Amino acid sequence: DSGVTQTPKHLITATGQRVTLRCSPRSGDLSVYWYQQSLDQGLQFLIHYYNGEERAKGNILERFSAQQFPDLHSELNLSSLELGDSALYFCASSGPAVSTNSPLHFGNGTRLTVT
Amino acid sequence: ILNVEQSPQSLHVQEGDSTNFTCSFPSSNFYALHWYRWETAKSPEALFVMTLNGDEKKKGQISATLNTKEGYSYLYIKGSQPEDSATYLCAFESFNKFYFGSGTKLNVKP
């Protein structure tokens, strides 16, 4: 058990809808990272938050947004969903330093299916 | 977008065989190189984090080396066991971002 909790495990929704994925980092970790894994693709970096502030952005679409709250949990909001957004979304945490050299601890992922 | 490449894409070996795979990454703006083990239906688990050129790390029968000047890392598994079957990912860390390779899928047959 990595100590990172992601909810929900599975999500099925229709095109055009909006969903929110939630992540609670491991106790003591201040960094939260979001990754997307589409079919036959590797882990694509979306965004990194550290102690409530955005630190780095990857290939995150404008329809997607994220935030990290004072209690350090993070939410990834996906809107105007398209079929191609169907993927496994992972959250990972690390810390407490922002520049890590320490490993990422992954949650079990949220499987999003857009129909 | 940075390129992190892993080879081979997949590997099938017999129990007891030793094996190794490669991770290639940019040689500039290097912070660290990570290796993760990803079993089916689970989430990736950290194996090693390496930061210095020439670093060697070992965990049981698994070891890794790092060459930051030429931008590669090797992961070695000595005497593979069926429970070593997994996808092995490397990740290049730079400027608060982690760039993952596509992984090497290892299948160890009993």
Side-chain angles (χ1 to χ4, degrees):
Chain A
D1 181 11
S2 67
V4 178
T5 305
Q6 281 188 255
T7 57
K9 271 190 172 177
H10 302 277
L11 204 45
I12 301 174
T13 189
T15 54
Q17 295 299 304
R18 173 190 167 95
V19 296
T20 297
L21 313 184
R22 184 187 166 103
C23 169
S24 293
R26 199 177 65 136
S27 177
D29 286 353
L30 299 181
S31 275
V32 169
Y33 299 78
W34 286 98
Y35 285 86
Q36 178 193 56
Q37 191 205 16
S38 304
L39 198 61
D40 294 333
Q41 299 243 338
L43 288 167
Q44 300 296 317
F45 169 67
L46 295 178
I47 199 160
H48 168 209
Y49 276 86
Y50 175 77
N51 204 20
E53 291 189 9
E54 182 185 304
R55 296 296 302 210
K57 239 176 180 176
N59 298 325
I60 188 167
L61 300 171
E62 282 192 19
R63 300 183 285 109
F64 295 1
S65 65
Q67 53 184 327
Q68 187 180 27
F69 295 86
D71 67 352
L72 302 176
H73 91 271
S74 177
E75 292 181 357
L76 180 68
N77 300 298
L78 315 176
S79 60
S80 302
L81 285 168
E82 301 174 0
L83 295 176
D85 297 327
S86 296
L88 190 53
Y89 290 85
F90 280 105
C91 160
S93 74
S94 71
V98 63
S99 181
T100 62
N101 299 339
S102 60
L104 295 177
H105 301 275
F106 283 85
N108 289 328
T110 293
R111 166 94 44 204
L112 173 66
T113 303
V114 182
T115 60
Chain B
I1 297 177
L2 296 177
N3 268 340
V4 178
E5 296 184 359
Q6 290 188 248
S7 62
Q9 204 170 8
S10 64
L11 204 46
H12 297 263
V13 301
Q14 289 294 133
E15 183 176 355
D17 286 351
S18 292
T19 186
N20 66 85
F21 12 98
T22 307
C23 172
S24 301
F25 53 86
S27 52
S28 58
N29 300 315
F30 175 88
Y31 281 13
L33 193 282
H34 299 235
W35 281 100
Y36 293 84
R37 182 169 178 272
W38 193 359
E39 290 181 76
T40 304
K42 294 188 177 180
S43 52
E45 291 182 1
L47 287 172
F48 306 115
V49 180
M50 295 186 287
T51 57
L52 298 175
N53 186 42
D55 245 359
E56 288 189 28
K57 299 260 182 172
K58 189 171 179 183
K59 192 176 188 175
Q61 298 300 100
I62 305 177
S63 60
T65 61
L66 179 68
N67 183 324
T68 59
K69 294 187 189 309
E70 295 180 41
Y72 64 84
S73 175
Y74 294 135
L75 189 79
Y76 300 92
I77 302 179
K78 185 178 172 185
S80 306
Q81 299 297 308
E83 52 267 32
D84 293 324
S85 297
T87 296
Y88 291 84
L89 296 172
C90 68
F92 169 77
E93 182 187 348
S94 178
F95 296 122
N96 295 313
K97 298 181 187 181
F98 290 76
Y99 300 89
F100 280 85
S102 298
T104 292
K105 188 168 184 176
L106 175 66
N107 182 29
V108 183
K109 297 178 189 174

